[in-house]
Amino acid sequence: MAGKIEKYLLDRLQREKLHFSLIDPDSFSIEEAKSAASISEEAGSDAILIGGSTNTLGSYLDNLIVSIKQSTKLPVIIFPGGVAQVSAKADAILFMSYMNSRNPYFITKSQALGSILVKKTGIEPIPTGYLVVEPGETVGWVGEADLIPRRKPQIAAAYSLAAQYLGMRFVYLEAGSGASETIAPEMVGLVKKVIDIPLIVGGGIRSPEAAKKLVIAGADIFVTGTIIEKDKERLFDIIKAIKN
Ligand code: 1GP
């Protein structure tokens, strides 16, 4: 059953493409995170994602989320790098299986270790199939992925359809934070042909032109992280390209 945040996303998706702004607790101080969140809202983003491949623990994460919530009305969704990144202060969590990891810890075991905590905190789990594509960057290395080759959209399509058949409600195609190129539009196009659930794309989106190509290919939700650290003005242009 879809919860409140998932419904909010699905409802918005009826009308437009969405943008999520990723704040990695490792790269932002609390003050920087607050400012990034309010800039993201002003630029037209639809949600704040919090997470990163290296773990941030307990009270720091709670404080960070509380502070972010003081500076934006956008929902805060955890994009977990591990079991330690569950916080009762968030609205929801992408409850992800890292489907192309070689290590079962990332596919189902960390999910088992974290599930009871998610229930106790009462935050909303959003079942998501997570697929990491070349170059994969840090998350590819940490997650011991069998990286999906960039030029093999068929493999991404097969995994994505499997995710849907396993009951996931979103598919997330990840090139890795800081990737030199985004997921190839051809891959997005083929995945969208075979799945009926919304497709999230992230990694390497640094220009409105690159975003537009993925819009045309059919992606539904766009995640950017690095750009807000490097060039805030660009974020406005990227979101404009996604929304128009
Ligand atoms: C989230 O990894 C992305 O999916 C963020 O990537 O930092 O390259 O925008 P960037």
Side-chain angles (χ1 to χ4, degrees):
M1 282 279 282
K4 197 171 130 212
I5 301 298
E6 190 175 340
K7 282 190 191 137
Y8 156 86
L9 299 176
L10 295 177
D11 184 54
R12 291 207 153 195
L13 276 172
Q14 302 282 332
R15 300 191 296 273
E16 57 182 359
K17 308 275 184 185
L18 305 188
H19 175 267
F20 293 170
S21 203
L22 173 65
I23 295 181
D24 184 340
D26 280 344
S27 318
F28 290 81
S29 67
I30 290 201
E31 281 314 308
E32 287 164 347
K34 282 172 80 168
S35 138
S38 71
I39 290 169
S40 300
E41 183 169 14
E42 197 191 323
S45 195
D46 300 282
I48 304 294
L49 288 189
I50 302 281
S53 296
T54 48
N55 264 330
T56 312
L57 288 168
S59 59
Y60 180 76
L61 187 61
D62 289 346
N63 288 341
L64 182 73
I65 296 175
V66 169
S67 307
I68 286 174
K69 281 184 151 287
Q70 285 162 0
S71 56
T72 177
K73 289 196 182 60
L74 294 176
V76 174
I77 304 173
I78 296 171
F79 175 50
V83 189
Q85 291 180 359
V86 177
S87 165
K89 307 293 180 193
D91 298 294
I93 181 166
L94 293 183
F95 201 85
M96 310 191 295
S97 172
Y98 192 144
M99 295 180 64
N100 62 318
S101 172
R102 285 187 302 276
N103 184 341
Y105 178 82
F106 296 105
I107 307 171
T108 51
K109 195 166 189 174
S110 54
Q111 292 74 1
L113 295 172
S115 63
I116 302 294
L117 188 55
V118 169
K119 191 174 174 74
K120 278 191 184 147
T121 56
I123 58 175
E124 176 185 332
I126 302 178
T128 303
Y130 188 60
L131 297 169
V132 181
V133 179
E134 287 175 344
E137 305 295 320
T138 307
V139 75
W141 179 82
V142 172
E144 300 168 44
D146 260 341
L147 291 176
I148 299 175
R150 186 177 157 75
R151 300 196 188 286
K152 293 289 174 195
Q154 304 87 333
I155 299 176
Y159 264 117
S160 301
L161 187 58
Q164 177 179 324
Y165 287 169
L166 285 165
M168 312 289 185
R169 298 203 287 263
F170 292 81
V171 168
Y172 193 142
L173 282 184
E174 170 75 86
S177 182
S180 55
E181 288 177 285
T182 69
I183 299 283
E186 298 71 31
M187 184 176 277
V188 167
L190 191 66
V191 167
K192 277 300 286 181
K193 250 191 208 154
V194 304
I195 62 170
D196 309 300
I197 53 179
L199 176 62
I200 308 171
V201 289
I205 304 173
R206 277 188 292 275
S207 70
E209 295 75 23
K212 199 79 212 173
K213 283 186 188 156
L214 297 173
V215 168
I216 293 164
D220 299 294
I221 302 178
F222 298 73
V223 182
T224 63
T226 310
I227 197 70
I228 201 164
E229 297 166 39
K230 303 233 157 99
D231 185 350
K232 297 187 174 50
E233 284 308 310
R234 254 189 167 212
L235 181 67
F236 284 74
D237 297 336
I238 290 172
I239 296 179
K240 236 179 252 156
I242 291 166
K243 298 280 180 183
N244 293 327

